[in-house]
Amino acid sequence: MSRFQIWPLAKMEDGKWSVPEGLLENIWIQMCREGRASRLFYTGHIRELADWLDWCYTPANLMQFVIDSRTKKFAAVTWLNNVRDGVAEAHFCMLGPPHPELGEAVLSYWSALPGVVTIVGCTPEHYTTAIKYAKRIGFKECGIIPNALRMAYENRRAGAVMTHYQTGKE
């Protein structure tokens, strides 16, 4: 059994969500305290708790929360979105230190999703730690698009490092 357990956010038959709102609030507080929220949502479109909750509950965002079974704490927030024609965009936010086996567990989960063939990452070029992590878990770099990203909190534009991961499906 993997050390990292994937907990997808889904609306249940009774209308309740699989991850209670109070936990989502705690995760937001942790992301802010660790300085990760503004790095994750670098375009500035998610700035406060209400924005985060709306984002989480948006059906087009296939959200997962990763739990470390050793510490019993949330270790990451991940999601896919813009899923179409076999391609999905990937997003990671570590809570605490990064673990390669966490990323591998998430990629295994994503690879098992029906219809997902290629997973694409778009990372600001100066987020070198995130880019190295993506490559370490299996993403391949395919280029940089100059000035493609608006960095709202830095009041500038940045190049986008494009990466991809193939799930092995046709």
Side-chain angles (χ1 to χ4, degrees):
M1 182 163 97
S2 173
R3 170 181 172 184
F4 296 98
Q5 304 301 307
I6 311 296
W7 189 359
L9 179 64
K11 197 167 199 175
M12 311 304 274
E13 288 180 15
D14 63 3
K16 294 181 182 177
W17 290 91
S18 59
V19 179
E21 189 168 299
L23 287 178
L24 295 176
E25 290 175 10
N26 289 341
I27 291 167
W28 174 255
I29 291 166
Q30 182 177 355
M31 286 193 310
C32 291
R33 187 175 55 243
E34 294 179 4
R36 297 176 191 270
S38 60
R39 288 184 60 81
L40 177 63
F41 298 109
Y42 52 80
T43 61
H45 67 281
I46 307 295
R47 291 183 180 263
E48 54 192 49
L49 176 61
D51 299 332
W52 162 248
L53 293 173
D54 286 346
W55 184 255
C56 289
Y57 295 140
T58 299
N61 295 325
L62 305 176
M63 305 284 296
Q64 303 87 42
F65 298 87
V66 183
I67 300 165
D68 185 332
S69 60
R70 290 185 193 161
T71 65
K72 308 291 190 249
K73 293 182 178 181
F74 286 100
V77 177
T78 65
W79 70 91
L80 294 178
N81 61 10
N82 297 319
V83 180
R84 63 186 165 280
D85 197 27
V87 179
E89 292 179 19
H91 306 273
F92 271 81
C93 179
M94 298 297 169
L95 302 171
H99 300 278
E101 60 269 28
L102 181 155
E104 292 161 3
V106 171
L107 286 177
S108 177
Y109 177 86
W110 286 346
S111 294
L113 294 174
V116 177
V117 177
T118 302
I119 300 169
V120 177
C122 177
T123 309
E125 65 185 335
H126 59 289
Y127 285 18
T128 55
T129 301
I131 295 163
K132 286 177 188 172
Y133 181 84
K135 290 178 182 179
R136 185 169 182 192
I137 64 171
F139 279 82
K140 306 290 184 221
E141 184 175 335
C142 53
I144 300 173
I145 304 171
N147 298 312
L149 304 175
R150 184 176 66 87
M151 307 301 293
Y153 300 101
E154 299 173 31
N155 198 27
R156 68 184 186 102
R157 298 195 69 80
V161 174
M162 302 304 298
T163 55
H164 66 91
Y165 178 84
Q166 301 301 311
T167 66
K169 295 180 216 162
E170 292 288 326

